[in-house]
Amino acid sequence: MGRKTYFGVPESKRPLPDRLNIVLTRNASAYAFPPDVLVCGSLQEALLKLDTTNYGKDIENIWVVGGNSVYKEAMESDRCYRVYLTEIKKQFDCDAFFPEIPKTFVVVDNDADIPTDVQEENGIQYVYKIYENKH
């Protein structure tokens, strides 16, 4: 996750429990992170550390949780296989957006445990979609 996403998580909930938290920031020295958070300057640096150190020994999947530039960098990586997207069926006044999904990604059938029909919570409708990279 990016630095803004990390600090957007309530302090009592971070780092996210029961997983390795990796925070991407170009200015790590300007912020205080707990010792169990891996801080890297880019997604490429984080992947290299996972590949070459004990950090990655028990990791099966990497989940990217934001923000925009982290999502974009992940989707541009040849190691990004899937995008799990929740498409919200309502317009909101906001200033943060998910980047455009590259054309090499196509919508595929949802996994058996992921609903395909429109969901609704608190009057807001949404649909789960899975995209796979077919490069």
Side-chain angles (χ1 to χ4, degrees):
M1 73 185 85
R3 174 190 50 81
K4 289 179 187 175
T5 299
Y6 177 79
F7 286 116
V9 174
E11 191 170 354
S12 64
K13 306 278 190 222
R14 65 177 192 247
L16 299 174
D18 303 322
R19 67 203 87 185
L20 173 62
N21 285 240
I22 302 173
V23 176
L24 305 181
T25 179
R26 291 182 212 63
N27 194 11
S29 62
Y31 304 94
F33 295 97
D36 56 341
V37 170
L38 178 59
V39 180
C40 297
S42 69
L43 179 61
Q44 277 307 115
E45 179 187 338
L47 292 172
L48 181 62
K49 284 189 179 181
L50 292 176
D51 288 343
T52 61
T53 68
N54 282 336
Y55 283 115
K57 69 179 167 107
D58 295 324
I59 294 177
E60 185 176 323
N61 291 302
I62 299 171
W63 295 90
V64 176
V65 296
N68 179 294
S69 63
V70 179
Y71 288 132
K72 187 173 183 333
E73 186 178 3
M75 289 187 296
E76 291 171 352
S77 168
D78 61 354
R79 294 176 64 172
C80 183
Y81 169 67
R82 277 187 154 188
V83 172
Y84 292 85
L85 181 79
T86 304
E87 185 178 284
I88 300 171
K89 302 293 191 176
K90 184 174 179 172
Q91 295 293 321
F92 290 90
D93 184 25
C94 58
D95 61 358
F97 301 92
F98 192 82
E100 184 176 336
I101 297 175
K103 302 231 183 292
T104 58
F105 286 83
V106 296
V107 176
V108 297
D109 290 339
N110 284 4
D111 297 341
D113 61 337
I114 299 176
T116 57
D117 54 336
V118 174
Q119 305 293 300
E120 186 169 333
E121 189 173 326
N122 298 325
I124 299 171
Q125 294 184 329
Y126 56 94
V127 176
Y128 296 119
K129 292 187 176 181
I130 299 175
Y131 291 78
E132 283 188 3
N133 195 346
K134 300 296 184 181
H135 66 289

